[in-house]
Amino acid sequence: MSKSIRKAVVIGSGVMGSGIAAHLANVGIACHLLDVVPGTLTPEEQAKGLTPQHPAVRSRLAAGAVARLAKTKPAPLYDESFAARITPGNLEDHLHVVGEADWVIEVVVENLQVKKELLRRVEEHWKPGTVVSSNTSGISINAMSADCGAEFKRHFLGTHFFNPPRYMQLLELIPGEHTDPQLLQDMKGFCSRVLGKGVVTAKDTPNFIANRIGTYGLLVTLQAMTEKGFTVEEIDAVTGPAMGRPKSATFRTLDLVGLDTFVHVANNVYENVTDEAEKQVFAVPGVLRTMVEKGWLGEKSGQGFYLKRKGEDGRSEILSLDLGTMDYRSQKKTGSGSLEAAKLAKGAREKVKALIGAGDKYSDLAWDILKLVLVYSAERLGEIADTVQEIDEAMRWGFNWELGPFETWDALGLVRSVNRMEAEGLTVPAWVKEWIEAGNRSFYRQEEGRTFYVHQGAYTALDQPKEVISLRALKERNKVVRSNSGASLIDIGDGIACLEFHSPNNAIGADILTMIGQSLEEVRRGFDGLVIANQGRNFCVGANLMILLMEAQDEEWEEIDGIIRLFQNTMYKVKRFEKPVVAAPHRMTLGGGVEACMPADRIVAAAETYYGLVEVGVGVIPAGGGCKELALRIARNNPHPDSDLQPYLNQVFETVGMAKVSTSGHDAKNLGLMTPGDRIVANQDHLIYEAKQSALQLVASGYEPVREEKFRVAGAEGKAVLTLGALGLRQGGYISDHDLHIAKKLAHVLAGGDVPAGTLVTEQYMLDLEREAFLSLCGEPKTQARMSHMLSKGKALRN
């Protein structure tokens, strides 16, 4: 990239503006957040004797938005301290900071005239070379900048962040007709690499890509529902995971987005397209208008298509709206052969095939919705985006579909589905028919580990940036060195191998532990370093709980002892390995997943990593080396013999004892579960590449393996302090008797047992304490009840 962005100005401090400013702060960009000067004083300001001219009053809107970031859920900031990177101000006193910025982002009300006037004011302070963008969900970029100067237009484009900006991967870049092509490429690279976004280039058309197709899909779904008499819950059962879509499906999604927002987006297309047939689809149905008039806007108003209320028994119940009567009622269970077939199928492609192919009323409903969305997407190719890839990526990243429209079409069978569409009287776009007539059977093709897609009548190679390493593609190119049912070792090039977990939920069992040991041997013989990473939904949810519970219920204590010894010994081998090991966790990384990362020389984590030792939730303590590693870190960070270990021990005890999980990779450092030297990567798609680079750096620096060391523990005195704290929680009613029992075991292990304070212990001594405590807790009926509850309900039991 030819330019760097270190300073930004965000204009507009509403939900989106403050969220964008927060995400810029997340990645280290200093940011000014500006808004209008308030017209009146608040009662609080009057009580303080402030005047309208006081700086605190004039910048109140932006300052209030920054203050609310720490309280907003889900958290916009990776770390609350990052709010200090945002400077609040106002448009009258501080607009001059535009002249100091590398990037100015306008995020004001969706009104063309308001945006044009603001751009005029921005241009007065603008310095040549500064990027200026509008965050709009559908207003024309060209119309917005029509009155601006030629050089300004070259540096102006649309940047459509999806809400919430931290979590939603999609960022649509919309160049105007005068936008510098090189600036567009520079911004695409910057937003991908630094902001961690999935970036697509959209055309300057109403609602761009994702909202254009997504809104169309929601409207034709509502139309099919009303025509055929389906209920709200039936529609959501069909249009959720069974179709490769999120659990929020159709109506929960609308409730989350807000019906007023959705109506605005639909109206934008209705008012700006000329094709009458398309216009009619985007005409907002009367039921939506009625709900907006009633104030039933979804979650932000407390009710929409769903309403949560407490029943007479005090339990919460979620009611659904009957569109016929406009009354809320209890939900009716939805089930059928097609839904069950989709549930049992593995992967989104097989799920949607099973759903459509089962031949019942829900299959027909799914087909009636999908066929229209697929044809509409094909009709819009060239108008809203240049490639099928960009349309598919926009829907996957923006609406969390597992398959984009053209990927879905391939899954259903392109030729077969087109024949069915035409038999049912649907007009399929000419370019699709020509593509089939040329002998092609899919929009995408895999060949020698590379992906090709249809573009301008021919297959074109998908050009992945070097930062994106696909383990699936490497496996297709026969780069697997060794594999079993739980994990594979893959050659990712440049002398580095990657150990990939692929067991169910990536849970650690004997198969993964065996493969770790075998992988170390393979790396010892033929590689320079090892990366532990995978591209599953989550990195690892912990150890295989089902096996542990079965063994405990059968009182097979030697078997459990053997499992834990294998886990401990394997992690010990990783830590002592003579070549560098880098762990690259992402998203849910819990329990044993954390313990699989801790022995690594370095952790390179995705920013969205939710990392925690949560074993107490199932009635045990960490026993794969987690307690030992935390105690070792405390001693290592306090090397002087007289330094007090207790404050740090207290913090670790609370973190593990309360099963705290980080809200980000940065927060994992705050919790002490990662070290200051560990790296955080914003773009999860770049994670394996960055981990590989870290491994290569360790190799180049002349890596030496970690040597075993004895270390100080807090001993019996430290254990007593921890136990006293747990007793206080029990007396206050915050924890149960079994929680207290577990806490005492945890205190015993973290403090190093009953030895005198300051005693030097070995790592093996600490591992033995872990294993003994774990085994004794496995024998507790209440622990077994917790394990069973977690397996059946997916959440912790507080017994």
Side-chain angles (χ1 to χ4, degrees), residues 480-599:
V480 176
V481 178
R482 195 159 188 159
S483 183
N484 68 16
S485 60
S488 296
L489 185 69
I490 303 164
D491 183 350
I492 58 174
D494 300 317
I496 305 298
C498 177
L499 176 65
E500 175 201 32
F501 300 167
H502 48 64
S503 64
N505 293 318
N506 290 342
I508 296 176
D511 49 1
I512 286 180
L513 295 173
T514 298
M515 183 53 60
I516 293 174
Q518 293 174 348
S519 295
L520 295 178
E521 290 301 318
E522 293 286 354
V523 172
R524 181 176 285 119
R525 287 194 295 267
F527 293 90
D528 297 323
L530 175 67
V531 167
I532 302 175
N534 64 71
Q535 292 171 326
R537 183 182 298 274
N538 297 304
F539 177 78
C540 177
V541 298
N544 191 321
L545 192 59
M546 176 65 77
I547 291 177
L548 282 172
L549 176 59
M550 290 172 60
E551 299 289 5
Q553 289 174 335
D554 292 341
E555 299 185 359
E556 296 287 353
W557 309 123
E558 289 187 5
E559 289 293 329
I560 296 177
D561 183 75
I563 292 170
I564 301 306
R565 283 181 187 272
L566 176 61
F567 197 165
Q568 291 181 340
N569 292 341
T570 302
M571 295 304 104
Y572 187 82
K573 289 177 183 177
V574 171
K575 185 171 183 179
R576 297 286 174 258
F577 192 54
E578 62 267 29
K579 296 183 178 182
V581 177
V582 176
H586 67 275
R587 297 194 68 81
M588 299 303 293
T589 304
L590 304 175
V594 173
E595 291 178 302
C597 296
M598 288 180 123

Side-chain angles (χ1 to χ4, degrees), residues 646 649-650 653-654 715-735 739-748 751:
Q646 195 68 52
L649 186 61
N650 294 346
F653 181 64
E654 180 180 333
E717 292 181 17
K719 171 183 170 181
V721 173
L722 299 181
T723 302
L724 187 61
L727 284 168
L729 290 174
R730 179 67 193 99
Q731 290 170 354
Y734 296 106
I735 63 175
D739 289 327
L740 177 61
H741 181 59
I742 298 166
K744 288 179 177 178
K745 295 282 187 181
L746 179 62
H748 179 76

Side-chain angles (χ1 to χ4, degrees), residues 669-711:
K669 292 187 177 185
N670 295 337
L671 293 176
L673 297 173
M674 290 186 194
T675 69
D678 292 332
R679 285 189 55 210
I680 310 298
V681 175
N683 193 325
Q684 188 175 306
D685 292 340
H686 298 179
L687 188 60
I688 294 179
Y689 171 83
E690 295 295 346
K692 174 183 169 181
Q693 298 308 115
S694 287
L696 290 171
Q697 290 168 8
L698 288 169
V699 172
S701 65
Y703 176 78
E704 292 185 5
V706 177
R707 296 179 180 178
E708 184 167 4
E709 57 187 299
K710 287 187 174 183
F711 59 94

Side-chain angles (χ1 to χ4, degrees), residues 302 306-319 328 330:
Y306 292 96
L307 170 66
K308 185 176 182 180
R309 73 178 185 191
K310 284 191 175 182
E312 294 180 0
D313 59 359
R315 294 183 179 180
S316 293
E317 180 184 13
I318 298 177
L319 308 179
Y328 291 95
S330 297

Side-chain angles (χ1 to χ4, degrees), residues 132 191 200 218 392 553-554 589 604 750 777:
V132 181
C191 293
V200 299
L218 288 165
D392 281 345
Q553 289 174 335
D554 292 341
T589 304
V604 178
L750 287 174
L777 287 169

Side-chain angles (χ1 to χ4, degrees), residues 218-223 226 262-263 266-267 280-292 305 323:
L218 288 165
L219 287 169
V220 297
T221 300
L222 188 58
Q223 183 179 4
T226 53
F262 178 78
V263 167
N267 280 335
Q280 287 311 306
V281 173
F282 284 91
V284 176
V287 65
L288 289 184
R289 294 191 183 279
T290 298
M291 292 175 71
V292 171
F305 286 99
L323 298 189

Side-chain angles (χ1 to χ4, degrees), residues 357-391:
D360 60 22
K361 68 175 183 178
Y362 294 132
S363 291
D364 293 341
L365 171 63
W367 170 251
D368 288 342
I369 295 167
L370 272 179
K371 69 181 181 183
L372 295 175
V373 173
L374 301 185
V375 168
Y376 184 74
S377 300
E379 289 172 341
R380 300 281 77 79
L381 181 66
E383 177 189 343
I384 63 175
D386 283 331
T387 67
V388 299
Q389 174 210 351
E390 286 172 312
I391 291 176

